[in-house]
Amino acid sequence: MTIKLGVLISGSGTNLQAIIDRIADGSLDATIELVISSRADAYGLMRAEAAGIQTLTIEKNLYDEEFTADRVIAAELRYRGVDYVVMAGYMRMVHAPILEAFPNRVVNLHPALLPSFKGAHGIQDAYDYGVKVTGITVHFADDKYDCGPIIAQRAIAIEEGWSVDELEARIHEMEHDLLPEVLQLLAEDRVHVRENGTVEVAPRG
């Protein structure tokens, strides 16, 4: 089936672009109904507009507290009939108004192998710690930061001599592949959260 997505961004929107491109080439059965940014200067807004996608900016200073902003976001997404909410480089935590409106349907992308290196600096933290392997995680968001049922992970070995910028570039390359792949799994209704909070991905066919 074709799923309807709402995409939350805060920055350049390269993962948003990866989703747009996969939809365009037919490898992702989805539409993007709305892109919401937490920053008015996010370049991802221009990517969305270039693709003819509606956008909305909800900056922190517009509301007294984040729950109010999230109630507005949830209402906008529900109005557009969104099936899944995708946090693609969204640098704010989502709260109960969004999580309750879309239970196990808020997808987050994190640039480390959770539960290791949670937080906003996962790439730098893994690099500074000196781990030999790091990677990316796609998971369903919950009410804790960088927690929730893990859908998929992909690992990368950190080669000797890499700078943190080289690591970041390779992490982003993997993100641009894995996130659309996971969204296609959702479109095929192959992702199911078990009662114990783990995720089962059913085989194709």
Side-chain angles (χ1 to χ4, degrees):
M1 69 175 182
T2 299
I3 53 174
K4 296 181 178 180
L5 305 177
V7 183
L8 310 182
I9 65 169
S10 295
S12 64
T14 58
N15 280 298
L16 167 64
Q17 188 66 57
I19 297 170
I20 292 170
D21 292 345
R22 291 294 187 92
I23 292 172
D25 71 19
S27 62
L28 174 54
D29 298 324
T31 60
I32 301 175
E33 301 299 313
L34 183 66
V35 170
I36 299 178
S37 177
S38 64
R39 289 174 41 199
D41 63 349
Y43 186 74
L45 289 170
M46 287 188 274
R47 295 180 187 272
E49 289 161 7
I53 300 166
Q54 283 192 301
T55 65
L56 178 66
T57 299
I58 300 182
E59 294 188 291
K60 269 186 179 179
N61 58 5
L62 291 178
Y63 297 95
D64 292 335
E65 46 95 18
E66 291 177 330
F67 275 75
T68 304
D70 280 10
R71 278 192 287 271
V72 173
I73 291 170
E76 292 287 345
L77 295 172
R78 280 199 306 263
Y79 176 74
R80 288 165 174 81
V82 163
D83 298 306
Y84 289 93
V85 182
V86 184
M87 300 169 68
Y90 188 62
M91 302 308 290
R92 286 168 54 181
M93 188 172 176
V94 296
H95 300 92
I98 297 174
L99 295 171
E100 291 173 3
F102 300 93
N104 285 331
R105 288 188 289 144
V106 180
V107 178
N108 185 44
L109 174 66
H110 183 73
L113 294 174
L114 293 176
S116 299
F117 306 112
K118 298 177 181 178
H121 308 290
I123 298 173
Q124 185 72 56
D125 291 345
Y127 185 84
D128 290 346
Y129 197 84
V131 297
K132 302 306 180 186
V133 176
T134 186
I136 56 176
T137 302
V138 181
H139 67 101
F140 289 121
D142 63 10
D143 59 356
K144 302 177 190 67
Y145 201 69
D146 290 331
C147 291
I150 292 173
I151 306 168
Q153 292 182 308
R154 190 161 291 171
I156 183 171
I158 301 175
E159 295 186 13
E160 291 296 329
W162 273 6
S163 67
V164 69
D165 290 338
E166 288 174 303
L167 174 60
E168 183 171 0
R170 284 159 177 79
I171 289 281
H172 290 325
E173 287 175 9
M174 290 198 309
E175 290 176 344
H176 301 160
D177 287 333
L178 186 60
L179 181 58
E181 288 174 15
V182 168
L183 296 177
Q184 182 59 27
L185 293 176
L186 295 172
E188 295 171 6
D189 194 29
R190 293 170 55 199
V191 178
H192 306 284
V193 180
R194 302 184 182 100
E195 288 187 10
N196 66 0
T198 61
V199 170
E200 174 187 11
V201 177
R204 183 174 276 111

